[in-house]
Amino acid sequence: MTEAQPVAGVPRRLLWSRAEVVSLRDDTPRVRSLTLAVADWPGHLAGQHVDVRLTAEDGYQAQRSYSIASPPEAPLLELTVETISDGEVSPYLTGELRPGDIFELRGPIGGYFVWSERQPGPLVLIGGGSGVVPLMAMLRHRAIAGPTQPALLVYSSRNWDEIIYRDELERLAAADPSLRIVHTLTRAQPQGWQGFRRRVDKAMLEELGVPALASPNLFICGPTPMVETAAQASVELGIDAARIKTERFGPSGG
Amino acid sequence: MSESDLQPLDGNAAAGLLGEMFWRDMTTATGICAGCGSEGPFAEARLFASAMGSVLRCPHCDNVLLRAARTPRGVWLDMQGFRSLTFTPTPDAN
């Protein structure tokens, strides 16, 4: 066996590790980021996820997947978790955990929905709600690696206060002329809002110049209907389907 | 049942469970559906997961590609819905 490496596809046994909460940050009223120290973390690629496992005193276990928000270069792992009020895992992660607490996770997982600055071609990221989390890992990685290609983030939120990473996204765009960030607010808009106010659709991607990009890499993450619509629209706009990668989420089955 | 945490609903999310068994990432594999013959990335298949197990379906014809369950005797896996799976190295995984 080769030694453990942080690259997808290399044989590596997937084991549960202990994650210690280092700090917590509220991103929106329903979303909290956890910064974690994970023993023997092998490193990851932007876009990968982890499985989190909670065990009750009676032995009952619940397991969920969460996208990694931190870039590969960060010394600590960051997860950004949306609270689902009747969920089994998210209310604990966002409401109960305190610095110093420990829980189990394993990863990094998934080698498909990943991006590296070494990948040639413009980057187009389309996110809905907390689907922005793996896309943020890509943008943070891009900022650290030094952008060599233009990037566009189209980010759909219900309203202004539910935009995750709003200030950081603004800073990233201000520091990097090759990065464009476009918000669409689907339910409510602040006074004087000039931006989009509908779900991501074909006309929006067309207006943003996506069809004119040469060989772009598209990453689409969000609720299933949003992902299907955006992926279908991209194909209709002439984007090579092999360059469109998607990740869907929604309420887990009962 | 109240398990409504937001969860991934495609093949990306099966990577953890299958990684337990295969020690490699399965989501980058390209599969051919035994039902309709269409070819696509494992990660783009539709996942229906519960505490009992997972079912992966073809996005084109709804054929069951894979079923996985945890049983008292271990993990049970049925992959007969795939005619074949092809593993090609990705640029990041030589």
Side-chain angles (χ1 to χ4, degrees):
Chain A
M1 295 293 296
T2 55
E3 64 182 32
Q5 289 174 55
V7 287
V10 171
R12 179 179 60 80
R13 195 167 178 196
L14 198 53
L15 297 171
W16 292 100
S17 309
R18 285 156 54 94
E20 181 179 346
V21 179
V22 175
S23 62
L24 304 163
R25 184 188 71 238
D26 287 324
D27 295 291
T28 77
R30 296 193 301 124
V31 175
R32 176 172 270 191
S33 289
L34 320 172
T35 301
L36 308 168
V38 183
D40 301 321
W41 182 250
H44 65 276
L45 301 171
Q48 289 188 296
H49 67 270
V50 297
D51 288 343
V52 170
R53 180 168 78 179
L54 302 180
T55 306
E57 278 177 27
D58 65 2
Y60 176 78
Q61 291 187 325
Q63 188 179 316
R64 296 289 185 273
S65 299
Y66 292 98
S67 288
I68 298 169
S70 46
E73 295 83 1
L76 296 173
L77 195 72
E78 183 184 294
L79 305 181
T80 300
V81 180
E82 179 174 357
T83 313
I84 306 303
S85 54
D86 62 346
E88 279 193 313
V89 174
S90 63
Y92 178 80
L93 297 180
T94 59
E96 302 294 324
L97 283 177
R98 298 290 175 264
D101 287 351
I102 286 168
F103 62 94
E104 285 184 298
L105 63 71
R106 67 179 181 186
I109 298 170
Y112 179 73
F113 196 81
V114 298
W115 179 78
S116 150
E117 178 62 26
R118 284 174 295 167
Q119 203 173 321
L123 181 63
V124 177
L125 309 175
I126 304 172
S130 49
V132 76
V133 176
L135 310 181
M136 191 59 173
M138 296 176 191
L139 287 179
R140 286 169 166 168
H141 164 61
R142 184 175 176 277
I144 292 168
T148 55
Q149 297 276 352
L152 166 69
L153 169 67
V154 185
Y155 181 11
S156 176
S157 306
R158 289 193 286 201
N159 59 58
W160 181 253
D161 291 328
E162 293 197 31
I163 300 176
I164 307 167
Y165 315 124
R166 195 178 62 213
D167 294 344
E168 185 178 347
L169 287 171
E170 205 168 301
R171 285 196 300 274
L172 285 174
D176 175 6
S178 67
L179 170 63
R180 184 175 178 200
I181 292 174
V182 176
H183 291 287
T184 180
L185 301 176
T186 57
R187 289 203 189 165
Q189 302 81 23
Q191 197 96 38
W193 176 253
Q194 299 289 317
F196 292 112
R197 48 182 72 209
R198 63 179 196 271
R199 292 169 190 275
V200 176
D201 58 20
K202 187 177 166 186
M204 189 184 293
L205 299 180
E206 201 160 20
E207 189 178 332
L208 294 172
V210 172
L213 296 170
S215 302
N217 299 298
L218 268 72
F219 291 87
I220 307 172
C221 185
T224 302
M226 191 224 88
V227 170
E228 300 295 345
T229 303
Q232 182 62 35
S234 301
V235 169
E236 287 172 13
L237 291 170
I239 309 290
D240 178 5
R243 305 185 75 97
I244 303 172
K245 295 192 172 172
T246 58
E247 190 164 82
R248 298 157 185 80
F249 65 80
S252 60
Chain B
M1 303 287 281
S2 64
E3 292 194 28
S4 53
D5 287 304
L6 291 178
Q7 282 300 287
L9 297 176
D10 57 29
N12 292 299
L17 176 65
L18 296 174
E20 282 176 31
M21 290 172 271
F22 294 107
W23 284 35
R24 85 172 319 283
D25 178 46
M26 300 290 286
T27 60
T28 53
T30 301
I32 294 179
C33 172
C36 67
S38 61
E39 183 172 3
F42 187 99
E44 302 277 357
R46 302 297 175 264
L47 180 75
F48 300 84
S50 75
M52 303 294 292
S54 298
V55 173
L56 206 63
R57 288 180 179 273
C58 173
H60 304 286
C61 74
D62 220 31
N63 173 48
V64 174
L65 297 168
L66 175 152
R67 295 181 289 166
R70 291 179 197 283
T71 77
R73 288 185 294 146
V75 179
W76 171 86
L77 189 63
D78 171 355
M79 298 179 73
Q80 62 184 305
F82 280 113
R83 182 181 300 160
S84 69
L85 282 166
T86 305
F87 298 88
T88 42
T90 60
D92 288 307
N94 300 309

